[in-house]
Amino acid sequence: MSANENVITHIRDLLGPKGWIGAEDGPAIAPYLREERGLYIGSALGVARPSSADEAAHVVEICAEAGIAVTAQGGNTGLVGGGVPFSGEHPAIVLSSDRLTRIRSIDAANRTITVEAGVILADVQKAAAEAGLLFPLSLGAEGSCRIGGNLSTNAGGVHVLRYGNARDLVLGLEVVLADGRVWDGLRGLRKDNTGYDLKQLFIGAEGTLGIITAATLKLYPRPTVVETALAALPGITEAMELFGRIAEAAGGAVNAYEVMNRFAVDIACRHVEGVRDPFAETHPQYALIELAGQTDGLRETLERVLAQAIDDGVAVDAVIAENIAQGEAFWAIREAIPEAQKREGGSIKHDVSVPLSLVAPFIDKATQALEAVLPGIRPCAFGHAGDGNIHFNISQPQGMDKDAYLEHWQDFNARVHDIVMEMGGSFSAEHGIGRLKRGDMYRYKSDVEIDLMRALKRALDPDGIMNPGKIFQ
Amino acid sequence: MSANENVITHIRDLLGPKGWIGAEDGPAIAPYLREERGLYIGSALGVARPSSADEAAHVVEICAEAGIAVTAQGGNTGLVGGGVPFSGEHPAIVLSSDRLTRIRSIDAANRTITVEAGVILADVQKAAAEAGLLFPLSLGAEGSCRIGGNLSTNAGGVHVLRYGNARDLVLGLEVVLADGRVWDGLRGLRKDNTGYDLKQLFIGAEGTLGIITAATLKLYPRPTVVETALAALPGITEAMELFGRIAEAAGGAVNAYEVMNRFAVDIACRHVEGVRDPFAETHPQYALIELAGQTDGLRETLERVLAQAIDDGVAVDAVIAENIAQGEAFWAIREAIPEAQKREGGSIKHDVSVPLSLVAPFIDKATQALEAVLPGIRPCAFGHAGDGNIHFNISQPQGMDKDAYLEHWQDFNARVHDIVMEMGGSFSAEHGIGRLKRGDMYRYKSDVEIDLMRALKRALDPDGIMNPGKIFQ
């Protein structure tokens, strides 16, 4: 037997028949090797599917001894190729969390839940709800992404402006290190200043420093009042002005503030069944506003701010949901945009953020820059404007050949990211680096910053077996 | 000239006469060498007082080349000896931030402020207020502590349950590294997933990995409504039950939830002028509740929850402040406790946290454990119960010799911390490790955790010149 075959046998013996999918089993292994959109197809000796943190640690230990790389994978819903194995100089395995699905405990009085890495995000939300509490992380893929992946990528979503990113929801972690040892940092404390805050290292590190196997997460009281409104505005400048007014008037009760330009609303309504524009006329810009809280008065606040905004010419029109179904109908417009964009032809995507004060200038400047290169492009600018995070996706000119359009991808990215970085922004607000954005990282980060990142990588994974080929080139 | 004298000359030439205080200038250097309570008196070649980040970087570079240690110091208000120089094998200087006091910029639309490390916390709060915004970090020493120290120790305070610890308020940092290079991570973004989140390394690291010279901080809308109440309760179990009810009813509007036992209130009223107990009768336990928000209805919420709590026997009595002065009078009781404890004789202190669900069992168990050792001790248990963070300070038995009492310090600490750690708690919730709690750290942390911390220290400060003798033994 070769050395690799020895390792495979060892892991298979450890995990049993459910715990290993070999490379020879093409149909079974294929979904673990493929990035969702087909951007990347990786290769691996197989997929290890441990059913406990101990088993996961043992797998990593075996691989570390044999010099085999380990790519941790959750729901494989990432958008930058971070979860797909690229072994480079090492042969690799995938370590999937899809059997690490226990909810270990819930402490309602402490408002914490301890879950294994493979619990699907929606199931974390559900367990919290059953205890009368809220786990606020919420994003499009929540029905299939797994919490370990959410934490390893520091996921964002629609409630960041109120509850923070995934990082902000973590109190403790359990992590398998590159040598197979387990760091038990599963604490449920709001305050703990006993040495370096090690959990921060592994959150957002995309599995390159260790593998998260479980987490203790913050839960929140469930809001009892939710008010949703859709505002129509003259432009993005006014949409950001309205956000400032809403934030000032409602403070911590602002649950979400999403913007959509006319093109985004238009294609959502045209391409996705059941989605409709509640306004009789068309408008250049829309904002979806959600307030939530425990006390009355939110509706009055929303009415007052929107009425004043219309008086001042900041908004043109607005409708406040009269019931839950109507609120959901507003959200349906927002949620339909990614699907609608697929049906509208080629789309070149940017997941960027800038300071809130520069969202409008960014969209204007980036739109002009791309129109100068390729007249007829149709920017579909939407997303989490309350965080300064815009999905600035550019649909192709009508009638253009899709493949010819997509050849502009690199060039458009460079132009848009240059503008973002000049404005002190981020070229990857939510999605991470993975494989896709490594070039940008080296282009825009200072040497000092790259050196610091490399120093951490060397310190925690000296042999380079944790998800090689990701983040670093 | 000796090598050290060369370095001193070099730094003095760089910084000018205001920028250097030599060891020979006893009265001028003394405050920089002394821990506030006199627990530690350090020694140093002198104090460097750079007036810019560039100067600070240059000082570190000079010291790195000469193998001289650098202890960063802010307002020197820390409680664990973290800011006092202990050079060990290296000669040391203090690098004080007391001339790094510029507010570099404020972006009201982005709700961020960029400040140098030496800005006094109260001045950050003031600058935010002048822009119509709130910087929520608030703690006893805010009139003299400096923001760089707050961040280097991940300070807590009274608003953590709403706004988080100091860590949660940081969007970007500027840091001088151990080799004198500057990492410019001053970003003002709510979402940025481009590689490792390096700022997390330096927050709470007590100057052992690098020196924070500036920070970009989050600001918040100012609450327009504040409601303050003082509740009298049968015991700590009921105080935690009431917290759960308040949190459920008021959600994100809970601004502070502090508990005080009868002894704490009693000595505050007896020893500190102007402090008085608003209740006619005495009660075993008190809770100070602050709700704040933008919308009406908070007072009704508070009234409803307190009335129901009294009906249910969870609370005995309660008074809601009718005006700002009355609210301040309630806070004055809480704020008087540390001073009152000093006047009540010897006090053995613990800054601990446990999960919220275990606050009451912890206080009961720890009290019993110490009473068994030394009958007549008087626990002064107070603090941030909404975070699970109790200042469990034990006043001496009446009439006992103070010095004889204080000889129990180590033993009491060990007993209390053992109980805390069995409950999954923290032996230093707010104050850090510094010099004082290094023994606890090695006693309670796993080998894996200590190894990880050491790996970080080696990676970022291979020559061990950043604040040696702190955190690590």
Side-chain angles (χ1 to χ4, degrees), chain B residues 363-379 392 394 397 408 411-412 415-416 419:
Chain B
I363 291 178
D364 288 348
K365 192 169 178 183
T367 300
Q368 284 167 30
L370 298 187
E371 272 173 350
V373 177
L374 187 63
I377 53 141
R378 295 170 301 161
F392 187 68
I394 313 299
H408 289 273
D411 178 54
F412 278 21
R415 289 173 194 271
V416 170
I419 293 167

PDB file of all heavy atoms in Angstrom, chain B residues 363-379 392 394 397 408 411-412 415-416 419:
ATOM      1  N   ILE B 363     -22.359  33.261  43.926  1.00  0.00           N
ATOM      2  CA  ILE B 363     -22.233  34.131  45.104  1.00  0.00           C
ATOM      3  C   ILE B 363     -22.513  33.341  46.381  1.00  0.00           C
ATOM      4  O   ILE B 363     -21.785  33.449  47.379  1.00  0.00           O
ATOM      5  CB  ILE B 363     -23.151  35.372  44.974  1.00  0.00           C
ATOM      6  CG1 ILE B 363     -22.608  36.290  43.867  1.00  0.00           C
ATOM      7  CG2 ILE B 363     -23.247  36.132  46.297  1.00  0.00           C
ATOM      8  CD1 ILE B 363     -23.444  37.529  43.602  1.00  0.00           C
ATOM      9  N   ASP B 364     -23.539  32.488  46.345  1.00  0.00           N
ATOM     10  CA  ASP B 364     -23.864  31.684  47.531  1.00  0.00           C
ATOM     11  C   ASP B 364     -22.704  30.756  47.897  1.00  0.00           C
ATOM     12  O   ASP B 364     -22.274  30.703  49.050  1.00  0.00           O
ATOM     13  CB  ASP B 364     -25.124  30.837  47.267  1.00  0.00           C
ATOM     14  CG  ASP B 364     -26.379  31.707  47.240  1.00  0.00           C
ATOM     15  OD1 ASP B 364     -26.298  32.884  47.643  1.00  0.00           O
ATOM     16  OD2 ASP B 364     -27.428  31.211  46.794  1.00  0.00           O
ATOM     17  N   LYS B 365     -22.214  30.046  46.908  1.00  0.00           N
ATOM     18  CA  LYS B 365     -21.186  29.041  47.170  1.00  0.00           C
ATOM     19  C   LYS B 365     -19.876  29.680  47.641  1.00  0.00           C
ATOM     20  O   LYS B 365     -19.233  29.210  48.585  1.00  0.00           O
ATOM     21  CB  LYS B 365     -20.962  28.212  45.903  1.00  0.00           C
ATOM     22  CG  LYS B 365     -20.145  26.963  46.135  1.00  0.00           C
ATOM     23  CD  LYS B 365     -20.183  26.036  44.913  1.00  0.00           C
ATOM     24  CE  LYS B 365     -19.318  24.808  45.175  1.00  0.00           C
ATOM     25  NZ  LYS B 365     -19.253  23.912  44.018  1.00  0.00           N
ATOM     26  N   ALA B 366     -19.494  30.769  46.984  1.00  0.00           N
ATOM     27  CA  ALA B 366     -18.237  31.423  47.335  1.00  0.00           C
ATOM     28  C   ALA B 366     -18.327  32.053  48.729  1.00  0.00           C
ATOM     29  O   ALA B 366     -17.365  32.009  49.508  1.00  0.00           O
ATOM     30  CB  ALA B 366     -17.878  32.472  46.278  1.00  0.00           C
ATOM     31  N   THR B 367     -19.475  32.631  49.032  1.00  0.00           N
ATOM     32  CA  THR B 367     -19.666  33.216  50.362  1.00  0.00           C
ATOM     33  C   THR B 367     -19.520  32.141  51.442  1.00  0.00           C
ATOM     34  O   THR B 367     -18.798  32.315  52.440  1.00  0.00           O
ATOM     35  CB  THR B 367     -21.056  33.887  50.455  1.00  0.00           C
ATOM     36  OG1 THR B 367     -21.119  34.921  49.464  1.00  0.00           O
ATOM     37  CG2 THR B 367     -21.292  34.490  51.831  1.00  0.00           C
ATOM     38  N   GLN B 368     -20.193  31.014  51.238  1.00  0.00           N
ATOM     39  CA  GLN B 368     -20.100  29.921  52.211  1.00  0.00           C
ATOM     40  C   GLN B 368     -18.668  29.421  52.356  1.00  0.00           C
ATOM     41  O   GLN B 368     -18.194  29.153  53.464  1.00  0.00           O
ATOM     42  CB  GLN B 368     -21.000  28.757  51.789  1.00  0.00           C
ATOM     43  CG  GLN B 368     -22.483  29.015  52.065  1.00  0.00           C
ATOM     44  CD  GLN B 368     -23.373  27.997  51.359  1.00  0.00           C
ATOM     45  OE1 GLN B 368     -22.971  26.856  51.147  1.00  0.00           O
ATOM     46  NE2 GLN B 368     -24.572  28.421  50.998  1.00  0.00           N
ATOM     47  N   ALA B 369     -17.985  29.297  51.221  1.00  0.00           N
ATOM     48  CA  ALA B 369     -16.616  28.764  51.265  1.00  0.00           C
ATOM     49  C   ALA B 369     -15.706  29.666  52.093  1.00  0.00           C
ATOM     50  O   ALA B 369     -14.871  29.190  52.877  1.00  0.00           O
ATOM     51  CB  ALA B 369     -16.072  28.607  49.847  1.00  0.00           C
ATOM     52  N   LEU B 370     -15.850  30.986  51.943  1.00  0.00           N
ATOM     53  CA  LEU B 370     -14.970  31.897  52.678  1.00  0.00           C
ATOM     54  C   LEU B 370     -15.399  32.024  54.140  1.00  0.00           C
ATOM     55  O   LEU B 370     -14.544  32.141  55.027  1.00  0.00           O
ATOM     56  CB  LEU B 370     -14.931  33.269  51.994  1.00  0.00           C
ATOM     57  CG  LEU B 370     -14.386  33.281  50.562  1.00  0.00           C
ATOM     58  CD1 LEU B 370     -14.243  34.710  50.066  1.00  0.00           C
ATOM     59  CD2 LEU B 370     -13.058  32.541  50.438  1.00  0.00           C
ATOM     60  N   GLU B 371     -16.698  31.988  54.388  1.00  0.00           N
ATOM     61  CA  GLU B 371     -17.165  32.054  55.783  1.00  0.00           C
ATOM     62  C   GLU B 371     -16.662  30.861  56.590  1.00  0.00           C
ATOM     63  O   GLU B 371     -16.399  30.981  57.788  1.00  0.00           O
ATOM     64  CB  GLU B 371     -18.696  32.121  55.841  1.00  0.00           C
ATOM     65  CG  GLU B 371     -19.200  33.558  55.771  1.00  0.00           C
ATOM     66  CD  GLU B 371     -20.716  33.651  55.648  1.00  0.00           C
ATOM     67  OE1 GLU B 371     -21.376  32.619  55.437  1.00  0.00           O
ATOM     68  OE2 GLU B 371     -21.220  34.792  55.736  1.00  0.00           O
ATOM     69  N   ALA B 372     -16.538  29.727  55.901  1.00  0.00           N
ATOM     70  CA  ALA B 372     -16.042  28.531  56.592  1.00  0.00           C
ATOM     71  C   ALA B 372     -14.590  28.718  57.023  1.00  0.00           C
ATOM     72  O   ALA B 372     -14.155  28.202  58.044  1.00  0.00           O
ATOM     73  CB  ALA B 372     -16.187  27.311  55.690  1.00  0.00           C
ATOM     74  N   VAL B 373     -13.832  29.476  56.226  1.00  0.00           N
ATOM     75  CA  VAL B 373     -12.423  29.723  56.528  1.00  0.00           C
ATOM     76  C   VAL B 373     -12.271  30.816  57.576  1.00  0.00           C
ATOM     77  O   VAL B 373     -11.435  30.717  58.487  1.00  0.00           O
ATOM     78  CB  VAL B 373     -11.661  30.143  55.242  1.00  0.00           C
ATOM     79  CG1 VAL B 373     -10.216  30.472  55.562  1.00  0.00           C
ATOM     80  CG2 VAL B 373     -11.758  29.058  54.188  1.00  0.00           C
ATOM     81  N   LEU B 374     -13.060  31.867  57.432  1.00  0.00           N
ATOM     82  CA  LEU B 374     -12.895  33.029  58.304  1.00  0.00           C
ATOM     83  C   LEU B 374     -14.273  33.613  58.632  1.00  0.00           C
ATOM     84  O   LEU B 374     -14.781  34.474  57.898  1.00  0.00           O
ATOM     85  CB  LEU B 374     -12.017  34.085  57.610  1.00  0.00           C
ATOM     86  CG  LEU B 374     -11.618  35.288  58.473  1.00  0.00           C
ATOM     87  CD1 LEU B 374     -10.758  34.869  59.669  1.00  0.00           C
ATOM     88  CD2 LEU B 374     -10.893  36.330  57.631  1.00  0.00           C
ATOM     89  N   PRO B 375     -14.883  33.149  59.719  1.00  0.00           N
ATOM     90  CA  PRO B 375     -16.213  33.655  60.080  1.00  0.00           C
ATOM     91  C   PRO B 375     -16.168  35.176  60.278  1.00  0.00           C
ATOM     92  O   PRO B 375     -15.147  35.709  60.722  1.00  0.00           O
ATOM     93  CB  PRO B 375     -16.525  32.936  61.401  1.00  0.00           C
ATOM     94  CG  PRO B 375     -15.644  31.728  61.403  1.00  0.00           C
ATOM     95  CD  PRO B 375     -14.402  32.129  60.673  1.00  0.00           C
ATOM     96  N   GLY B 376     -17.236  35.832  59.913  1.00  0.00           N
ATOM     97  CA  GLY B 376     -17.315  37.274  60.093  1.00  0.00           C
ATOM     98  C   GLY B 376     -16.929  38.089  58.880  1.00  0.00           C
ATOM     99  O   GLY B 376     -17.074  39.311  58.892  1.00  0.00           O
ATOM    100  N   ILE B 377     -16.408  37.445  57.839  1.00  0.00           N
ATOM    101  CA  ILE B 377     -16.120  38.203  56.602  1.00  0.00           C
ATOM    102  C   ILE B 377     -17.417  38.825  56.104  1.00  0.00           C
ATOM    103  O   ILE B 377     -18.508  38.303  56.346  1.00  0.00           O
ATOM    104  CB  ILE B 377     -15.544  37.299  55.482  1.00  0.00           C
ATOM    105  CG1 ILE B 377     -16.476  36.088  55.267  1.00  0.00           C
ATOM    106  CG2 ILE B 377     -14.115  36.898  55.753  1.00  0.00           C
ATOM    107  CD1 ILE B 377     -16.649  35.687  53.856  1.00  0.00           C
ATOM    108  N   ARG B 378     -17.256  39.942  55.391  1.00  0.00           N
ATOM    109  CA  ARG B 378     -18.440  40.652  54.909  1.00  0.00           C
ATOM    110  C   ARG B 378     -18.356  40.841  53.390  1.00  0.00           C
ATOM    111  O   ARG B 378     -17.710  41.771  52.911  1.00  0.00           O
ATOM    112  CB  ARG B 378     -18.554  41.984  55.639  1.00  0.00           C
ATOM    113  CG  ARG B 378     -18.812  41.786  57.152  1.00  0.00           C
ATOM    114  CD  ARG B 378     -18.685  43.076  57.921  1.00  0.00           C
ATOM    115  NE  ARG B 378     -17.350  43.655  57.767  1.00  0.00           N
ATOM    116  CZ  ARG B 378     -17.070  44.938  58.020  1.00  0.00           C
ATOM    117  NH1 ARG B 378     -18.016  45.762  58.425  1.00  0.00           N
ATOM    118  NH2 ARG B 378     -15.841  45.380  57.864  1.00  0.00           N
ATOM    119  N   PRO B 379     -18.994  39.940  52.629  1.00  0.00           N
ATOM    120  CA  PRO B 379     -18.925  40.046  51.171  1.00  0.00           C
ATOM    121  C   PRO B 379     -19.621  41.307  50.669  1.00  0.00           C
ATOM    122  O   PRO B 379     -20.755  41.577  51.049  1.00  0.00           O
ATOM    123  CB  PRO B 379     -19.649  38.800  50.666  1.00  0.00           C
ATOM    124  CG  PRO B 379     -19.666  37.855  51.829  1.00  0.00           C
ATOM    125  CD  PRO B 379     -19.712  38.733  53.055  1.00  0.00           C
ATOM    126  N   PHE B 392     -16.593  40.616  43.398  1.00  0.00           N
ATOM    127  CA  PHE B 392     -16.858  39.883  44.643  1.00  0.00           C
ATOM    128  C   PHE B 392     -15.750  40.229  45.628  1.00  0.00           C
ATOM    129  O   PHE B 392     -14.761  39.519  45.770  1.00  0.00           O
ATOM    130  CB  PHE B 392     -16.902  38.378  44.329  1.00  0.00           C
ATOM    131  CG  PHE B 392     -17.339  37.516  45.478  1.00  0.00           C
ATOM    132  CD1 PHE B 392     -18.644  37.563  45.952  1.00  0.00           C
ATOM    133  CD2 PHE B 392     -16.447  36.639  46.082  1.00  0.00           C
ATOM    134  CE1 PHE B 392     -19.059  36.754  47.008  1.00  0.00           C
ATOM    135  CE2 PHE B 392     -16.853  35.824  47.142  1.00  0.00           C
ATOM    136  CZ  PHE B 392     -18.156  35.891  47.602  1.00  0.00           C
ATOM    137  N   ILE B 394     -14.321  41.141  49.383  1.00  0.00           N
ATOM    138  CA  ILE B 394     -14.635  40.655  50.730  1.00  0.00           C
ATOM    139  C   ILE B 394     -14.021  41.595  51.755  1.00  0.00           C
ATOM    140  O   ILE B 394     -12.795  41.647  51.911  1.00  0.00           O
ATOM    141  CB  ILE B 394     -14.069  39.233  50.924  1.00  0.00           C
ATOM    142  CG1 ILE B 394     -14.426  38.338  49.727  1.00  0.00           C
ATOM    143  CG2 ILE B 394     -14.568  38.645  52.238  1.00  0.00           C
ATOM    144  CD1 ILE B 394     -15.901  38.147  49.497  1.00  0.00           C
ATOM    145  N   PRO B 397     -13.538  40.989  58.601  1.00  0.00           N
ATOM    146  CA  PRO B 397     -14.405  40.936  59.792  1.00  0.00           C
ATOM    147  C   PRO B 397     -14.194  42.203  60.624  1.00  0.00           C
ATOM    148  O   PRO B 397     -13.072  42.740  60.678  1.00  0.00           O
ATOM    149  CB  PRO B 397     -13.901  39.698  60.546  1.00  0.00           C
ATOM    150  CG  PRO B 397     -13.259  38.847  59.504  1.00  0.00           C
ATOM    151  CD  PRO B 397     -12.646  39.815  58.536  1.00  0.00           C
ATOM    152  N   HIS B 408      -4.864  36.677  54.016  1.00  0.00           N
ATOM    153  CA  HIS B 408      -5.731  35.651  53.406  1.00  0.00           C
ATOM    154  C   HIS B 408      -5.896  35.839  51.894  1.00  0.00           C
ATOM    155  O   HIS B 408      -6.579  35.047  51.251  1.00  0.00           O
ATOM    156  CB  HIS B 408      -7.130  35.696  54.058  1.00  0.00           C
ATOM    157  CG  HIS B 408      -7.157  35.194  55.462  1.00  0.00           C
ATOM    158  ND1 HIS B 408      -7.335  33.857  55.770  1.00  0.00           N
ATOM    159  CD2 HIS B 408      -7.029  35.846  56.648  1.00  0.00           C
ATOM    160  CE1 HIS B 408      -7.327  33.715  57.086  1.00  0.00           C
ATOM    161  NE2 HIS B 408      -7.140  34.898  57.645  1.00  0.00           N
ATOM    162  N   ASP B 411      -5.100  32.913  49.512  1.00  0.00           N
ATOM    163  CA  ASP B 411      -5.959  31.773  49.816  1.00  0.00           C
ATOM    164  C   ASP B 411      -7.399  32.034  49.370  1.00  0.00           C
ATOM    165  O   ASP B 411      -8.033  31.187  48.736  1.00  0.00           O
ATOM    166  CB  ASP B 411      -5.905  31.492  51.325  1.00  0.00           C
ATOM    167  CG  ASP B 411      -6.816  30.340  51.719  1.00  0.00           C
ATOM    168  OD1 ASP B 411      -6.669  29.247  51.123  1.00  0.00           O
ATOM    169  OD2 ASP B 411      -7.696  30.538  52.580  1.00  0.00           O
ATOM    170  N   PHE B 412      -7.910  33.224  49.687  1.00  0.00           N
ATOM    171  CA  PHE B 412      -9.279  33.567  49.261  1.00  0.00           C
ATOM    172  C   PHE B 412      -9.383  33.530  47.734  1.00  0.00           C
ATOM    173  O   PHE B 412     -10.330  32.987  47.172  1.00  0.00           O
ATOM    174  CB  PHE B 412      -9.673  34.966  49.769  1.00  0.00           C
ATOM    175  CG  PHE B 412     -10.167  35.010  51.186  1.00  0.00           C
ATOM    176  CD1 PHE B 412      -9.862  33.996  52.103  1.00  0.00           C
ATOM    177  CD2 PHE B 412     -10.971  36.062  51.627  1.00  0.00           C
ATOM    178  CE1 PHE B 412     -10.329  34.042  53.414  1.00  0.00           C
ATOM    179  CE2 PHE B 412     -11.449  36.114  52.932  1.00  0.00           C
ATOM    180  CZ  PHE B 412     -11.120  35.112  53.833  1.00  0.00           C
ATOM    181  N   ARG B 415      -9.560  30.009  46.471  1.00  0.00           N
ATOM    182  CA  ARG B 415     -10.859  29.357  46.742  1.00  0.00           C
ATOM    183  C   ARG B 415     -11.951  29.896  45.820  1.00  0.00           C
ATOM    184  O   ARG B 415     -12.754  29.145  45.267  1.00  0.00           O
ATOM    185  CB  ARG B 415     -11.259  29.565  48.211  1.00  0.00           C
ATOM    186  CG  ARG B 415     -10.391  28.762  49.167  1.00  0.00           C
ATOM    187  CD  ARG B 415     -10.690  29.107  50.632  1.00  0.00           C
ATOM    188  NE  ARG B 415      -9.645  28.576  51.490  1.00  0.00           N
ATOM    189  CZ  ARG B 415      -9.669  27.348  52.016  1.00  0.00           C
ATOM    190  NH1 ARG B 415     -10.682  26.554  51.784  1.00  0.00           N
ATOM    191  NH2 ARG B 415      -8.670  26.933  52.766  1.00  0.00           N
ATOM    192  N   VAL B 416     -11.987  31.226  45.692  1.00  0.00           N
ATOM    193  CA  VAL B 416     -13.040  31.831  44.859  1.00  0.00           C
ATOM    194  C   VAL B 416     -12.818  31.474  43.386  1.00  0.00           C
ATOM    195  O   VAL B 416     -13.756  31.080  42.680  1.00  0.00           O
ATOM    196  CB  VAL B 416     -13.068  33.361  45.058  1.00  0.00           C
ATOM    197  CG1 VAL B 416     -13.984  34.024  44.024  1.00  0.00           C
ATOM    198  CG2 VAL B 416     -13.537  33.693  46.474  1.00  0.00           C
ATOM    199  N   ILE B 419     -13.911  28.010  42.451  1.00  0.00           N
ATOM    200  CA  ILE B 419     -15.373  27.900  42.275  1.00  0.00           C
ATOM    201  C   ILE B 419     -15.791  28.503  40.939  1.00  0.00           C
ATOM    202  O   ILE B 419     -16.580  27.921  40.190  1.00  0.00           O
ATOM    203  CB  ILE B 419     -16.107  28.583  43.455  1.00  0.00           C
ATOM    204  CG1 ILE B 419     -15.836  27.796  44.745  1.00  0.00           C
ATOM    205  CG2 ILE B 419     -17.597  28.703  43.184  1.00  0.00           C
ATOM    206  CD1 ILE B 419     -16.234  28.531  46.022  1.00  0.00           C
TER     207      ILE B 419
END
